[in-house]
Amino acid sequence: MPEFQRRKRRSLTDEQLFEEYRRTDEPKKKGRQSGAPPKKQKPAGEAPSAKKSPPAAGTTPAREKPPVSPLRREMQEEQRHEPLNKREGAPDKAPPKKKSPLPKKSPPKKAPARRKRGKMTLYYVLIGIVAVAAVSILSVTVLFNISSFQVIGETSYTDEEIIAACGIEKGNNLLRINIGNAEEQIVSKLVYIDSARISRGFPNRLVITVEPAHPAVSFASGGSYYVISERGRLLEIDRISSDTPVVKGYSPAADAAAGSQLEDDDEDRMSIALQMIAYMEQYGLNKRCEIDLTDTLNITMSYDGRIEMELGAATRMEDKFYHASLLLEDEISLTERCILILSNPDRVVKRPVYDTEPDDLGAVTTEPEDEPPEEEPENTDGEGNSD
């Protein structure tokens, strides 16, 4: 059955379908009556059967419900097997849209997902650049301004003197200060500070760590004593020797000033002296001494004013001072005078020193006895007796 007829039949009621069925079925009955034998009629008085007899032709019997036509039955079977969206009351297809007189525009094509990700990445990069620029501007103008100082290290200078020497003031920005220049100013202005280290304590604190300079040795030259620190920095020039060991044979430069770094000579006398002092402190040789570095192949040292050490060349200095410390601790008394030959640390020689050497090498001497006075000779010339 065509689709348009199905739609039409679905919109009709049962009575209308029955009337339509009758209209289409009457010609078939007429043809059947003309050619077929008439049906037998039941005699009068016969009891009606359970089934109702069909109505006579040309009459419309009164009935409560019209019979279901075969077409209607066929339509019900079709509706039973159709989907819900295609049953009666639901349109099979959406109504066609009215065509607009204007030409139809094609919908914009969707950008690929990769292109969208690239645009979002660029967007995030731009936001990051702007944020970094804003933070940078704020950090060098408003944020991280110095409001306090912290000085670490015990020196002969006060915290105020150290802060003033660095050249940095409160209110300066932590990110804009020159740390290297400030450290050099502290060391150059304050002689008894060997090193200085400055660090930033965010958000608004400056930390200064200083290391004091300790006098290590005094070089005697030209009637003056040049006091040197452990790092070879000239601390002061004095006419009187200090408590530090005195070294002879090294002459600092004539223009050397307090606070300057002394340079070594051709034979490394300053380095040798500082190394010897370090080994002496390591093995407890802390009494006053005087070192002669005039000949670096035959170094001598006077220790405690009573012990002479012949050290030889500047090699194996640690072993030499180790054996010297053992001898001073076990074999040399506090008042003994001796000479220690340490040029060969594997064979140390100790020689005693006497105040006066005996001239007769130990021979016993005695004084002579008193002789009687000589008598005057008598006068025998015969001239007579004396008056």
Side-chain angles (χ1 to χ4, degrees):
M1 182 182 293
E3 185 68 23
F4 71 94
Q5 289 186 1
R6 291 182 180 179
R7 289 201 199 112
K8 181 179 178 182
R9 291 179 182 278
R10 286 173 186 162
S11 61
L12 299 177
T13 61
D14 291 344
E15 294 180 356
Q16 291 175 347
L17 283 173
F18 183 74
E19 293 295 334
E20 184 177 355
Y21 171 73
R22 284 187 60 190
R23 285 197 301 270
T24 55
D25 199 35
E26 282 180 358
K28 294 180 182 179
K29 287 182 178 181
K30 287 179 181 180
R32 222 182 275 132
Q33 288 176 1
S34 59
K39 291 183 178 181
K40 293 181 179 181
Q41 294 182 357
K42 292 182 179 181
E46 188 178 355
S49 60
K51 293 183 180 179
K52 294 182 179 181
S53 60
T59 61
T60 304
R63 59 183 180 276
E64 295 180 0
K65 293 183 180 179
V68 180
S69 64
L71 292 176
R72 186 68 176 179
R73 199 175 294 113
E74 182 182 353
M75 289 174 59
Q76 289 176 354
E77 291 293 333
E78 289 178 359
Q79 289 179 358
R80 191 178 295 116
H81 295 290
E82 282 181 356
L84 293 176
N85 58 351
K86 289 187 177 181
R87 291 187 181 179
E88 186 176 354
D92 293 341
K93 293 182 181 179
K97 295 182 180 179
K98 295 183 180 180
K99 294 183 179 180
S100 61
L102 298 176
K104 212 172 193 180
K105 291 184 179 181
S106 59
K109 295 182 179 180
K110 294 183 179 180
R114 186 178 300 175
R115 188 179 300 175
K116 285 186 177 181
R117 287 197 296 269
K119 289 182 179 179
M120 294 303 294
T121 304
L122 180 61
Y123 178 71
Y124 293 142
V125 169
L126 292 176
I127 291 178
I129 293 173
V130 173
V132 170
V135 171
S136 301
I137 294 172
L138 291 174
S139 62
V140 298
T141 54
V142 179
L143 305 177
F144 310 129
N145 291 334
I146 300 173
S147 61
S148 63
F149 293 88
Q150 181 182 3
V151 179
I152 302 174
E154 295 182 2
T155 62
S156 57
Y157 304 101
T158 62
D159 293 351
E160 289 75 14
E161 291 175 339
I162 296 173
I163 294 170
C166 73
I168 300 174
E169 300 177 353
K170 287 186 178 181
N172 293 355
N173 192 271
L174 281 175
L175 301 177
R176 301 179 66 181
I177 59 175
N178 190 341
I179 289 180
N181 186 27
E183 292 174 349
E184 292 177 1
Q185 288 188 20
I186 293 175
V187 175
S188 61
K189 292 180 181 179
L190 306 178
V191 177
Y192 278 87
I193 291 180
D194 249 353
S195 65
R197 183 171 54 86
I198 297 176
S199 59
R200 298 179 176 91
F202 290 99
N204 53 9
R205 183 165 51 92
L206 191 71
V207 181
I208 304 174
T209 305
V210 294
E211 185 178 346
H214 299 287
V217 64
S218 298
F219 291 105
S221 176
S224 300
Y225 294 93
Y226 294 80
V227 182
I228 310 298
S229 70
E230 297 172 352
R231 297 191 179 185
R233 189 160 179 250
L234 180 58
L235 301 179
E236 61 182 35
I237 303 173
D238 201 349
R239 290 286 179 180
I240 303 173
S241 63
S242 60
D243 295 335
T244 58
V246 179
V247 177
K248 296 179 181 179
Y250 173 77
S251 299
D255 57 347
S260 61
Q261 188 75 25
L262 294 185
E263 296 181 358
D264 224 338
D265 58 2
D266 297 337
E267 297 188 16
D268 300 332
R269 286 184 174 88
M270 187 177 69
S271 300
I272 294 172
L274 293 175
Q275 187 182 34
M276 292 175 64
I277 299 304
Y279 289 141
M280 290 173 65
E281 291 181 356
Q282 181 179 351
Y283 294 110
L285 304 176
N286 51 13
K287 294 185 179 180
R288 186 176 178 83
C289 64
E290 185 175 323
I291 304 171
D292 189 358
L293 293 177
T294 305
D295 185 4
T296 56
L297 298 177
N298 188 19
I299 302 172
T300 60
M301 184 178 74
S302 175
Y303 182 76
D304 198 18
R306 58 188 179 88
I307 299 173
E308 298 293 330
M309 297 183 186
E310 295 180 4
L311 300 169
T315 57
R316 298 184 65 183
M317 277 294 177
E318 185 176 2
D319 295 336
K320 295 174 183 178
F321 284 112
Y322 171 71
H323 289 291
S325 65
L326 294 179
L327 290 172
L328 288 169
E329 184 178 355
D330 299 333
E331 300 184 16
I332 301 174
S333 64
L334 298 177
T335 59
E336 184 179 355
R337 298 181 64 186
C338 63
I339 298 174
L340 298 179
I341 301 175
L342 301 166
S343 55
N344 183 7
D346 297 329
R347 187 179 179 183
V348 179
V349 179
K350 172 190 171 186
R351 290 180 182 174
V353 175
Y354 300 100
D355 294 336
T356 57
E357 293 289 343
D359 297 335
D360 53 2
L361 299 178
V364 178
T365 60
T366 59
E367 295 181 359
E369 296 179 358
D370 296 337
E371 296 181 358
E374 296 181 357
E375 295 181 357
E376 294 181 1
E378 294 179 358
N379 189 2
T380 58
D381 55 356
E383 294 182 355
N385 297 330
S386 59
D387 297 337

